[in-house]
Amino acid sequence: CEAGKYKISLGSYDCTLCARDTYGETLGAESPTSCTDCPAYSESLSGSTSVLDCLCSPGYGYYNDSCHACQSGKFKIRPANAVCEDPYGIGEGCYVDGNLSIACFNGPSGVSVLVKDSDTLVVVSEVGNHVLRYINAITLQVGTLAGNGYVGYADGEARSAMFNHPVAVATSPDQSLVLVADGFNHRIRSFNVSNSSVSTLAGDGGAGLKDGIGTSAKFDFPSALCFFADGLKVAVTDMYNNKIRIIDLLDRQVTTLSTIGNPAFRPDFVYPAGIAITTGICPSWFRGDVSAFVTDQYRSEVVEVDLSDGTVRQRRSMGNVLCLDGSRRQVRYAILAIVAAVDDEDDDGDDAHRK
């Protein structure tokens, strides 16, 4: 019998084809057990002779050498080892790890730098694939830090964890944690660097506005987050609540910052989308113990707010990007993003920049 067939008894009759969704590689096979099942979520025709004949089923795309369910907003109508299609033609996001030259992403949204052992990793939150990816800045290898690629909510071992639109990430000053603004799960998630596990820091999963401890608190699409310089607190832009929330990492207490305006500057936000804290590298004109800049997306403004008392210091409507130059003497505003200066603690004017 040829590959893809078998014959179980004596007699002058034809060999039997391996069943659908299996394949047979053995010549002269004498049992249907010689036919191997296709991998999960794939299918084949009767008589297939190789695992390469097993194609991802309709509704499943081919990523990282296996078949995965098409993400929300995409489809695949026929068996094929191909990515799911975008009905709007916006672009083919995909999910491939490996060398940076071949890797691809689907909706990369937030970035943060993590120094782990001797490696410098650029951590990327990916809203289309619902995972955290990393780019090794030394080897230029791309890999998956956390998440299994499916929409959902699950804590545990990093690669088994599930996210829903992880929109932003922030690394703790001591490099022990990567916090995640898990947008449509309405939670703040935590990746523990030492044991590669994911847990929930705050949020009960329901959209709302409620202060409290840990998972008793509520958010409505946390969109960005930033550590205070001492690493003991985190500021979160709670986008659809139009608030800034503060999380104390010692007791996981979540509070809402009460902002204070003045005749020149209104105190409120409409869709606060991003935040950067400037403690420790501030020019003399910064006021307050902890100054932060928040992008007010709806109004196209950058807002300076003192996180120690909630005072709104200034609002600039010349776009949505803050730029601090290396001399620490000039502030310029452009388009949507936050650019933070990294002070190397001397005055030689060679401070690094990160965007």
Side-chain angles (χ1 to χ4, degrees):
C1 291
E2 301 169 344
K5 299 180 180 181
Y6 63 92
K7 183 165 174 286
I8 61 176
S9 61
L10 294 173
S12 299
Y13 60 89
D14 292 337
C15 300
T16 302
L17 295 173
C18 287
R20 285 180 58 88
D21 305 334
T22 69
Y23 62 96
E25 297 178 311
T26 304
L27 293 173
E30 299 179 356
S31 168
T33 59
S34 65
C35 303
T36 304
D37 289 338
C38 283
Y41 312 117
S42 66
E43 56 191 66
S44 68
L45 299 176
S46 301
S48 294
T49 61
S50 168
V51 68
L52 298 178
D53 296 326
C54 297
L55 305 178
C56 293
S57 300
Y60 290 82
Y62 188 68
Y63 309 104
N64 281 354
D65 299 325
S66 59
C67 302
H68 299 274
C70 292
Q71 289 135 357
S72 176
K74 295 197 172 186
F75 67 94
K76 190 160 78 62
I77 62 175
R78 62 180 63 86
N81 285 345
V83 298
C84 300
E85 298 179 44
D86 182 344
Y88 302 106
I90 296 172
E92 281 297 333
C94 60
Y95 185 2
V96 177
D97 287 337
N99 187 272
L100 190 57
S101 62
I102 64 169
C104 61
F105 298 81
N106 186 6
S109 178
V111 292
S112 183
V113 175
L114 169 67
V115 178
K116 183 180 181 184
D117 302 323
S118 60
D119 292 320
T120 299
L121 307 180
V122 179
V123 180
V124 182
S125 61
E126 201 171 354
V127 297
N129 285 325
H130 309 285
V131 295
L132 303 186
R133 309 280 292 282
Y134 67 82
I135 305 169
N136 189 310
I138 307 300
T139 66
L140 300 184
Q141 290 294 305
V142 176
T144 300
L145 190 69
N148 64 9
Y150 295 95
V151 179
Y153 168 69
D155 286 336
E157 192 276 326
R159 291 302 304 274
S160 299
M162 299 175 74
F163 301 91
N164 187 355
H165 212 84
V167 68
V169 285
T171 304
S172 63
D174 65 2
Q175 308 294 299
S176 66
L177 299 174
V178 177
L179 296 188
V180 185
D182 193 3
F184 286 126
N185 275 327
H186 310 292
R187 293 176 167 105
I188 305 301
R189 312 286 292 283
S190 175
F191 171 79
N192 187 305
V193 175
S194 64
N195 62 16
S196 294
S197 66
V198 173
S199 59
T200 299
L201 175 66
D204 68 357
L209 177 60
K210 178 185 176 184
D211 290 342
I213 296 175
T215 54
S216 68
K218 284 182 176 289
F219 299 85
D220 194 350
F221 197 83
S223 57
L225 65 175
C226 189
F227 279 89
F228 284 54
D230 60 10
L232 300 180
K233 292 183 180 180
V234 177
V236 179
T237 51
D238 194 358
M239 190 168 186
Y240 296 142
N241 280 324
N242 300 314
K243 300 291 184 182
I244 297 174
R245 315 291 292 282
I246 307 295
I247 306 175
D248 188 320
L249 297 182
L250 294 180
D251 58 11
R252 299 171 63 203
Q253 179 69 47
V254 179
T255 57
T256 301
L257 183 69
S258 296
T259 51
I260 306 168
N262 59 49
F265 304 116
R266 55 182 173 265
D268 59 328
F269 302 94
V270 182
Y271 299 159
I275 187 168
I277 292 176
T278 57
T279 305
I281 61 170
C282 303
S284 59
W285 54 263
F286 276 81
R287 294 136 300 202
D289 296 328
V290 186
S291 287
F293 282 87
V294 179
T295 54
D296 187 322
Q297 190 175 69
Y298 182 82
R299 295 185 177 122
S300 295
E301 293 179 331
V302 175
V303 184
E304 183 199 350
V305 58
D306 185 342
L307 295 183
S308 62
D309 63 9
T311 302
V312 173
R313 300 295 184 182
Q314 59 177 329
R315 307 180 76 106
R316 297 295 179 93
S317 58
M318 297 168 62
N320 277 340
V321 161
L322 167 71
C323 302
L324 289 146
D325 78 352
S327 69
R328 298 182 293 165
R329 286 192 298 268
Q330 180 183 7
V331 174
R332 295 177 290 109
Y333 297 86
I335 55 173
L336 180 62
I338 293 286
V339 179
V342 179
D343 191 349
D344 60 6
E345 298 183 351
D346 58 35
D347 292 315
D348 59 6
D350 64 349
D351 300 341
H353 294 73
R354 298 292 181 265
K355 180 163 65 174

